[in-house]
Amino acid sequence: MRNLNAYITGGSLSFTLTSPSGVSQSNSEASGPLGTIQTVGNLHRVSLTTHNNTGLWEISLNSLESYSLKVIGQSSVNFGYHFVEAFGGAHGDFGLKEGRPLTGDNITLLVSVTGGDSVTVTAVALVEALGSGSEVNGTLQSLGSGDFLVTVARVPQGEVVVRLRGESNSATTKSSPSLFQRQASTQIKTSSISVTVQADSTLEPGSTISVPFTVAMANGTGGAFTVRATNDRGFTSSFPASVSIVTGEGAANGTVTLTAPASTPSGTDVTLTIEAESAGAADLNYAILRLSVVSKVKDFSPPQCGAVSVSSNCPADCGASYWQLSANLTDGANGTGIDRVTLRQGNGTLNTSTEVGTGGENVTRVEYSATCCSKKVELVVVDRAGNVGVCLGSVKDSVGLVVSSTAQASVTNTTAVPVVSTTSTGGPPLTLSLYLRICVMLSLLLWNRVEL
């Protein structure tokens, strides 16, 4: 521990501080053997001298009024925690538990301890922050890597804090481990009211979801409870102003409706908080539900690649010459539209632009240029629904060839030729030169047959 300070607030009080070795210092000593004391109004700050003073310190306070005591220091040994609850499954997983702990009920904490392998945790407890300071110890289960599951059988009433105790086997204390204690700085207010909520976690843009909730009392008593429902997106909602619990029945039900505007982007998260407050604001608890706004997927078709033209001029010196590909990418009239185009293969220059096609759909125009040393290109086209299409292109020294997902074209050197087929057939379409070659071959076969 270092930079250890004690903060005491309250009027008309006196206190005496005692170190583990038995040395004492009162509040009347501004500078003494245990540290310095500064007083401003009803705030007393005690800066402790902790060198060679490890162990249990004590402070004795006398006051005619209410007071508070807070001790803060710095150390590599510390801890954090979350309240969790089991949600089933084959692996016994845990999820974050929202809301205030229920008075008298059991609860589970996930505690993470820092300080390395030299730290051994011996106890974790919930301690009453006010009054007698009684505590309820939890059962420890080590998860490894400084993480522990702590099960507390009964949550105390009122405000509580989490306290951790353990031993530290540092390099300087190998012969005798030193004891340490850490206490969370945040006080937790418990509640006798429970609010539970269950609903589908998805919401479509422009739709309304109904979220049922239940308000219950841990001790079985009844009464009227004010209900409030808020969300962090400002979505329109409706809910009952209050619910009533009949004594002996212990619970009341209600429903919150939440409407997502039609313009809400798919993937938007919204947090819904439902509060229940007892009469006179004597007690309060809440439940939190996190929802996702997701559009229904109707587009299952990948984008299509229609080749427009290829031009090339690729002599023997490939580094000094270039070839170009022009293609139209579409997602169909009912598609969600092209989201992005990226190069998977090829080191040329890629440019895209958007225009309106003859059928009224948006067309993404692709212009690709590369040196003749880079003779292949592979474009990955993704629409807004996540469907993926691939556009392939290549050029040879004597013939430029484009193969796409929906169209193919072949061109001779230095000549741009339009697409001659709008459906892939598994091979290049017929060009004039190929047509003449086939005619010559058929003529030779026919001639050979006649001679035979």
Side-chain angles (χ1 to χ4, degrees):
M1 290 293 296
R2 61 188 185 277
N3 299 331
L4 195 63
N5 293 277
Y7 296 89
I8 306 166
T9 60
S12 303
L13 60 78
S14 62
F15 59 87
T16 300
L17 188 68
T18 304
S19 71
S21 60
V23 179
S24 298
Q25 179 179 341
S26 68
N27 63 293
S28 60
E29 301 176 76
S31 180
L34 300 183
T36 59
I37 302 175
Q38 295 176 305
T39 301
V40 178
N42 65 346
L43 172 64
H44 307 270
R45 175 187 173 184
V46 184
S47 299
L48 301 178
T49 303
T50 58
H51 182 64
N52 292 330
N53 273 324
T54 59
L56 183 64
W57 289 64
E58 293 183 357
I59 185 167
S60 174
L61 289 125
N62 293 309
S63 176
L64 300 176
E65 303 175 4
S66 61
Y67 63 87
S68 67
L69 169 67
K70 191 172 188 178
V71 184
I72 298 177
Q74 292 179 317
S75 172
S76 60
V77 180
N78 206 346
F79 78 100
Y81 69 93
H82 292 287
F83 291 114
V84 296
E85 59 183 343
F87 56 83
H91 305 289
D93 295 327
F94 287 83
L96 188 65
K97 182 177 177 62
E98 308 282 6
R100 295 176 176 177
L102 193 61
T103 302
D105 201 3
N106 60 61
I107 198 166
T108 302
L109 298 84
L110 175 62
V111 178
S112 298
V113 183
T114 63
D117 296 334
S118 64
V119 175
T120 301
V121 178
T122 58
V124 175
L126 294 182
V127 183
E128 290 185 4
L130 302 175
S132 64
S134 62
E135 61 188 67
V136 180
N137 284 306
T139 303
L140 292 175
Q141 177 187 348
S142 177
L143 303 178
S145 302
D147 293 332
F148 297 85
L149 273 180
V150 181
T151 303
V152 179
R154 179 185 60 83
V155 176
Q157 185 176 6
E159 295 184 356
V160 298
V161 293
V162 181
R163 189 189 65 198
L164 180 143
R165 287 176 173 170
E167 299 177 350
S168 175
N169 296 280
S170 62
T172 58
T173 60
K174 285 185 177 180
S175 58
S176 58
S178 60
L179 303 178
F180 70 88
Q181 174 178 296
R182 299 290 182 267
Q183 183 170 292
S185 59
T186 304
Q187 296 183 1
I188 308 158
K189 187 172 179 60
T190 65
S191 176
S192 297
I193 305 171
S194 71
V195 182
T196 55
V197 57
Q198 290 184 348
D200 188 359
S201 59
T202 59
L203 177 65
E204 290 185 35
S207 67
T208 298
I209 189 174
S210 295
V211 180
F213 66 90
T214 301
V215 179
M217 286 293 291
N219 52 16
T221 60
F225 298 85
T226 302
V227 175
R228 290 183 292 269
T230 59
N231 68 88
D232 61 347
R233 296 290 180 180
F235 291 174
T236 300
S237 64
S238 63
F239 53 90
S242 64
V243 294
S244 296
I245 299 177
V246 178
T247 301
E249 294 185 1
N253 298 318
T255 301
V256 176
T257 61
L258 186 68
T259 302
S263 59
T264 306
S266 182
T268 299
D269 292 328
V270 56
T271 301
L272 175 65
T273 303
I274 303 175
E275 298 180 358
E277 185 178 58
S278 64
D283 199 358
L284 178 145
N285 210 342
Y286 60 92
I288 294 177
L289 181 66
R290 292 177 174 87
L291 305 166
S292 296
V293 182
V294 180
S295 300
K296 185 178 292 185
V297 177
K298 300 179 180 179
D299 180 7
F300 297 97
S301 301
Q304 303 298 316
C305 177
V308 176
S309 65
V310 173
S311 61
S312 63
N313 183 13
C314 295
D317 184 9
C318 64
S321 303
Y322 291 84
W323 67 285
Q324 293 83 33
L325 162 70
S326 297
N328 285 342
L329 310 179
T330 62
D331 197 34
N334 298 321
T336 53
I338 303 296
D339 181 58
R340 60 187 182 275
V341 181
T342 57
L343 273 174
R344 177 182 289 174
Q345 182 180 0
N347 56 7
T349 302
L350 175 67
N351 293 305
T352 61
S353 60
T354 303
E355 56 189 47
V356 179
T358 56
E361 74 279 7
N362 289 330
V363 177
T364 300
R365 176 85 171 182
V366 170
E367 300 288 345
Y368 176 78
S369 175
T371 67
C372 292
C373 298
S374 177
K375 298 180 179 181
K376 293 183 179 181
V377 63
E378 183 175 352
L379 303 177
V380 177
V381 189
V382 184
D383 64 16
R384 292 186 177 90
N387 300 307
V388 180
V390 177
C391 184
L392 303 174
S394 65
V395 66
K396 297 182 180 180
D397 292 338
S398 59
V399 176
L401 176 65
V402 171
V403 181
S404 73
S405 60
T406 58
Q408 299 173 338
S410 63
V411 298
T412 56
N413 213 18
T414 71
T415 304
V417 178
V419 177
V420 296
S421 172
T422 58
T423 304
S424 178
T425 59
L430 213 57
T431 62
L432 181 59
S433 59
L434 184 57
Y435 176 78
L436 292 176
R437 291 181 188 177
I438 294 175
C439 288
V440 171
M441 293 175 64
L442 290 175
S443 299
L444 291 175
L445 290 174
L446 183 61
W447 177 264
N448 291 335
R449 183 178 180 182
V450 172
E451 286 293 312
L452 292 174

